[in-house]
């Protein structure tokens, strides 16, 4: 037999072995599950939302901390890429990995908010010891020297802003976050055999659909809580581009256009605010300068 024919047969058998590995099998099972595909599409929309947020905030997100100037783009870009990695995990039924990455995304989202709260307090003239602690934390982060800093400390720093503390209490956000945090930690630390990646064959169609729906629900809840609090402490980050576009074309912006909300932000809020409380939209309308269309 010719050597090239033998090599081709070996190559074909090798390819069959590759196609039969667990990841490939999982991928095929997920592709055939319409409910899982719908959930993955929802995660892709969330990825697109984070991308749009990064584009919208570009140039508006510079922070001054301890004489260092930096942009928060590094965080929002990382968040978009992490969401893409979560999607990849879901495409291969690596549920434990998806949740592990979701905890990273949660921590990054709220550290982003932590920095904005620091900036807001600094500009308000706050000179408390809590502000100094936040400054030291952010300075160490800028130097790539931050250690032993957890989500509890992040949330504690965010609550240094009275207007956010009252909202956290009003809508019982801490309890919800504690519950989600415990769920995420179970997967991160492997707190039982159910919290490991598995061959997708062990799930029924409906079990997979439920798992994926929960991933989407948790991801959206974390994001809408982040966005809700962000609007209260840094509303300029959700301002539509109209006002700036008028100025760049040397035209007079319409009166009040600096308070218009970017359409994709308003759409996301309306579609997901009920995950917290439907009254939150009215709270934003009544407690910020931004104009929300109810």
């Amino acid at each position: 037999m010719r050597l090239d024919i033998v090599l081709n047969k070996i190559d074909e058998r090798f390819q069959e072995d590759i196609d039969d590995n667990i990841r490939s099998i999982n991928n095929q099972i997920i592709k055939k599950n319409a409910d899982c595909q719908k959930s993955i599409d929802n995660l892709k929309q969330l990825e697109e939302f984070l991308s749009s947020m990064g584009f919208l905030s570009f140039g508006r997100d510079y922070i001054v901390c301890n004489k260092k100037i930096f942009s928060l783009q590094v965080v929002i870009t990382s968040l978009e890429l992490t969401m893409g990695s979560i999607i990849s995990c879901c495409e291969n039924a690596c549920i434990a990995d998806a949740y592990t990455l979701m905890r990273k995304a949660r921590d990054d989202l709220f550290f982003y908010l932590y920095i904005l709260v620091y900036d807001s307090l600094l500009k308000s003239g706050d000179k408390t010891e809590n502000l100094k602690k936040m400054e030291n934390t952010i300075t160490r982060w800028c130097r790539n020297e931050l250690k032993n800093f957890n989500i509890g400390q992040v949330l504690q720093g965010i609550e240094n802003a009275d207007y956010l503390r009252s909202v956290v209490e009003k809508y019982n956000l801490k309890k919800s976050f504690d519950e989600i945090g415990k769920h995420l930690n179970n997967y991160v630390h492997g707190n039982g055999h159910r919290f490991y990646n598995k061959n997708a064959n062990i799930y029924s169609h409906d079990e997979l659909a439920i798992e994926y729906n929960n991933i989407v629900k948790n991801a959206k809840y974390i994001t809408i809580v982040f966005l809700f609090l962000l609007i209260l402490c840094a509303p300029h980050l959700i301002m539509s581009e109209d006002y700036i576009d008028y100025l760049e074309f040397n035209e007079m912006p319409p009166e009040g256009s600096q308070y218009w909300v970017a359409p994709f932000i308003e759409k996301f809020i309306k579609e997901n605010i009920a995950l917290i409380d439907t009254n939150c939209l009215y709270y934003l309308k009544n407690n910020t300068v931004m104009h929300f269309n109810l």
Side-chain angles (χ1 to χ4, degrees), residues 46 49 53 106 109-110 113 151 155 158 164 167-168 171-178 180 217-233 268-269 272-277 280 284:
L46 197 52
F49 173 79
M53 271 204 69
R106 178 207 62 181
L109 274 171
F110 282 82
L113 191 60
I151 188 64
L155 296 177
I158 289 171
L164 293 187
V167 168
V168 169
Y171 293 107
N172 210 18
L173 299 181
K174 188 176 186 305
K175 180 182 178 182
S176 299
F177 248 66
D178 286 345
I180 288 179
K217 185 177 179 180
N218 286 327
K220 285 187 174 182
Y221 179 80
I222 290 168
T223 306
I224 192 62
V225 171
F226 160 78
L227 184 60
F228 179 52
L229 298 179
L230 176 141
I231 293 169
L232 292 171
C233 72
F268 186 84
I269 292 172
N272 297 286
I273 201 67
L275 292 172
I276 308 175
D277 188 310
C280 287
L284 290 174

Side-chain angles (χ1 to χ4, degrees), residues 156-173:
Q156 190 175 42
I158 289 171
E159 289 184 359
N160 284 333
D162 291 337
Y163 56 92
L164 293 187
R165 186 187 308 117
S166 61
V167 168
V168 169
E169 293 172 355
K170 179 179 177 67
Y171 293 107
N172 210 18
L173 299 181

Side-chain angles (χ1 to χ4, degrees), residues 124-280:
S124 71
D126 189 299
K127 296 181 180 179
T128 62
E129 186 62 28
N130 283 329
L131 186 71
K132 189 65 179 176
K133 283 183 180 179
M134 296 178 79
E135 183 177 282
N136 290 337
T137 296
I138 296 168
T139 299
R140 293 199 305 274
W141 177 77
C142 287
R143 294 173 180 168
N144 301 311
E145 297 173 352
L146 186 59
K147 296 178 182 178
N148 302 318
F149 188 66
N150 57 50
I151 188 64
Q153 293 167 289
V154 171
L155 296 177
Q156 190 175 42
I158 289 171
E159 289 184 359
N160 284 333
D162 291 337
Y163 56 92
L164 293 187
R165 186 187 308 117
S166 61
V167 168
V168 169
E169 293 172 355
K170 179 179 177 67
Y171 293 107
N172 210 18
L173 299 181
K174 188 176 186 305
K175 180 182 178 182
S176 299
F177 248 66
D178 286 345
E179 290 173 355
I180 288 179
K182 182 179 179 180
H183 185 67
L184 298 179
N185 287 340
N186 281 334
Y187 287 94
V188 172
H189 300 298
N191 289 340
H193 62 84
R194 65 163 295 193
F195 305 117
Y196 283 73
N197 292 321
K198 298 179 177 69
N199 188 318
N201 276 313
I202 74 166
Y203 298 97
S204 70
H205 181 286
D206 290 345
E207 285 172 338
L208 273 174
I210 291 170
E211 289 281 2
Y212 276 58
N213 185 62
N214 286 336
I215 290 173
V216 172
K217 185 177 179 180
N218 286 327
K220 285 187 174 182
Y221 179 80
I222 290 168
T223 306
I224 192 62
V225 171
F226 160 78
L227 184 60
F228 179 52
L229 298 179
L230 176 141
I231 293 169
L232 292 171
C233 72
H236 64 285
L237 292 180
I238 67 160
M239 179 183 72
S240 73
E241 297 177 279
D242 298 79
Y243 183 80
I244 296 173
D245 287 345
Y246 275 102
L247 293 177
E248 288 182 346
F249 283 96
N250 295 316
E251 296 182 15
M252 180 64 68
E255 185 177 354
S257 57
Q258 68 269 37
Y259 304 122
W260 293 354
V261 178
F264 78 93
I265 294 282
E266 190 157 34
K267 180 176 183 289
F268 186 84
I269 292 172
K270 288 180 177 179
E271 289 178 349
N272 297 286
I273 201 67
L275 292 172
I276 308 175
D277 188 310
T278 53
N279 292 320
C280 287

Side-chain angles (χ1 to χ4, degrees), residues 2-14:
R2 287 170 43 194
L3 179 61
D4 59 332
I5 296 175
V6 173
L7 291 176
N8 283 336
K9 287 184 176 294
I10 292 174
D11 184 63
E12 287 173 5
R13 289 183 63 184
F14 180 69

